[in-house]
Amino acid sequence: MSLTPQEIKQRHDELVKLIRKYDHAYYVESRPLISDQEYDNLYHELETLEKNHPELITPDSPTQRIGESPLSGFSQVTHEIPMLSLENTYSKEELFTFLDRIRRALPGKKVSYTVEPKIDGVSISAQYKNGLFSLGATRGNGTVGDDITQNLKTIRSLPLRLELENPPELLEVRGEAYMSPKDFERLNAQREKEGKVLFANPRNATAGSLKQLDPRIVAERPLAIVFYGAGKLVGFKCKTQEEWLNFLKKIGLPVPILFWVCKNENEVYEAICKLNDCRNELPYPTDGAAIKVNEWDYYSILGYTAKAPRWAFAYKYGAERAKTRLNNVIFQVGRSGIITPVAEMDPVFLSGTTVSRATLHNFDQVKRLDVKIGDLVYLEKAGEVIPEVVGVDTSQRQGTEKEIIPPEHCPSCGEKLFWEGIFLRCGNENCPAQLKERILHFAQRNAMDIQGLGESLVDQLVDKGIVRDIADLYELDEQSLVKLDRMGKKSAQNLLKGIEESKKRDLSRLIYGLGITHIGQKASEDLARYFGTLDRLSHATEEELLAIPFFGEVMARSIVNYFRKEENRRRIEKLRKHGVNFVSSLLQTPSGPLSGKTFVITGTLSEPREAVAEKIISKGGRVSNTVSRKTNFLVVGSDPGSKLQEAQKLGITIIGEKELVDLLKGD
């Protein structure tokens, strides 16, 4: 018996509501209501119904979470209300100073506070227009972020429609995307099986996932989300942070499992201590407590600095420590030849992951810690990321411990090592270990993004002499690849496809992938934007490089030296021959009221110099580090340096921020 159009529509609406209900119970409340098979049956029924009746598909349908094709790139989103970070401290005294400052700024007013977990994830914003999810964005620089709407839609704990009968015109909620420690370990275990590069920590895994241009890849990552903040609100008013959090929970948005409302400073500190006691049991990684004034009306009175609100503060917990036995020390060779001692230990759980290796940084650190093989050592994660040995329990020594002796020869190529300050270095640039690290760096996600080129495969390519330089990657063929371990025909084809696609990457990613000493991702983008082509960059002088805003002499000298070396020039020519892109899409010559004008900035301004420089560049101007006769304007803030005297001697026009604002407007 066939269903009428009305009955089909009713069944569609019923399935959408049921799946939305089961998603919320499973992904937000961790309370599954039906079995996986029952859920899959309902989802398949909905998919079939929409396939046969596409007119029923709505933007908030569960089937619309995953886009069908990759994006070509992320568009930019301007935050009408800036997404600021929080000032933070590890000190109880500074915490009470912050609370005292608020009390003195609000004389005679009754103030309460909320204490919430400070979630160690990736800050995001989500907008709901009339109850429907319409836009998702990253924080970016606080003013402009990336449009990641399609990626956020894949996160099942994010509702596509709010549970509201009369939703406000616009509701912008802010929070963190994250990956739980358990999900992170499972993801890395799977990547290790597939020979892929492992993520360093849950936050890096989350950030890397949200930067994917293919939502289908994002959908495979175990991402979750939690909200706590407000952005732009139209048609909705709220009085307190407590009211806001309860409202978000009521309408189906995930909020912190625990938060406290405190009447005074002592209650704030008690709540911070309680949170510390239970934070490892929470589903998201936390590194502190966020303390906020509860009453929203006070926010405009307390105001903001250039980077942070004055009504909120973060209390960071000291790094989590673990104690374990150091069994051995191996010596790793980095891509620049520096030898790093690495401790191998009994496995121990630390800050969300199981750790069996930790860096000792350098041999000066080994000496300072007086660490020996066989010691019981203390571990922390530097910046909550890289495990490091930070101390030794010398009271437990048995007398059988062994000194850690620096090697005399490279553990990879056998070359005689030499000391360069506190660093022990291998000077052989053809060293296999250095080459492996250079290839992995070149292929990483933020550089040329060659999918499938993991450590085990790179080891084989180098050890068998198939690849002797990063440019050799573009000479690989299916016949040579299928002979390698765990490399079938399909895997070989996928790798070759990834290598071919990498030729199209922007120049900024190629510069970063080359691994030039002292040149990171941001500097690579600046170089691509400033020079436009690799050929122009390769012939740049130190003087030209120093004209780039915030470029220093060490960076400039490193670039010039890199392109002077014959083997690097040969590598560039091989990359050119294989069709690797040498041109930047970032090259911009914007026209505007400041076209043809060169600015130098000195002193402290109301916002970071980088932000001021970006505004000048966006209006057609150029920003230089050094004052010369070519300088048109010196922008002066408080406490200016010697550049002011230089400009005065040369008769250069000196302006303040107010005059700069007028110039930016074209006045």
Side-chain angles (χ1 to χ4, degrees), residues 553-592:
E553 291 182 5
V554 172
M555 296 167 72
R557 193 175 303 118
S558 178
I559 293 166
V560 170
N561 288 340
Y562 179 87
F563 288 106
R564 277 179 181 166
K565 289 186 178 180
E566 180 61 32
E567 67 179 277
N568 292 334
R569 290 202 297 269
R570 284 198 300 267
R571 177 180 302 127
I572 298 301
E573 289 310 308
K574 287 175 71 175
L575 292 171
R576 188 198 306 277
K577 184 184 76 172
H578 290 298
V580 175
N581 174 49
F582 280 14
V583 180
S584 176
S585 63
L586 300 176
L587 179 63
Q588 297 175 352
T589 54
S591 60

Side-chain angles (χ1 to χ4, degrees), residues 494-513:
N494 287 339
L495 175 61
L496 291 172
K497 181 182 177 183
I499 291 172
E500 186 65 26
E501 288 176 349
S502 75
K503 295 178 182 180
K504 304 172 187 176
R505 305 286 184 244
D506 190 82
L507 173 61
S508 63
R509 297 173 73 171
L510 173 60
I511 295 170
Y512 181 56

Side-chain angles (χ1 to χ4, degrees), residues 22-23 64 202 236 257 274 332 478 526 534 536 644:
Y22 296 144
D23 278 348
Q64 301 305 296
F236 177 81
I257 295 171
K274 289 177 182 177
Q332 288 187 345
E478 185 179 324
D526 291 340
L534 190 64
R536 282 195 62 204
L644 177 58

Side-chain angles (χ1 to χ4, degrees), residues 2 10 152 191 217 222 285 310 453 468 481 532 555-556 616:
S2 59
Q10 287 176 343
L152 287 189
R191 291 178 70 85
I217 296 176
R310 288 194 172 98
L453 197 58
R468 292 183 171 86
L481 287 173
M555 296 167 72
I616 293 171

Side-chain angles (χ1 to χ4, degrees), residues 67-73 212-217:
E68 294 183 355
S69 58
L71 303 171
S72 58
Q212 292 288 334
L213 292 173
D214 191 343
R216 292 169 296 185
I217 296 176

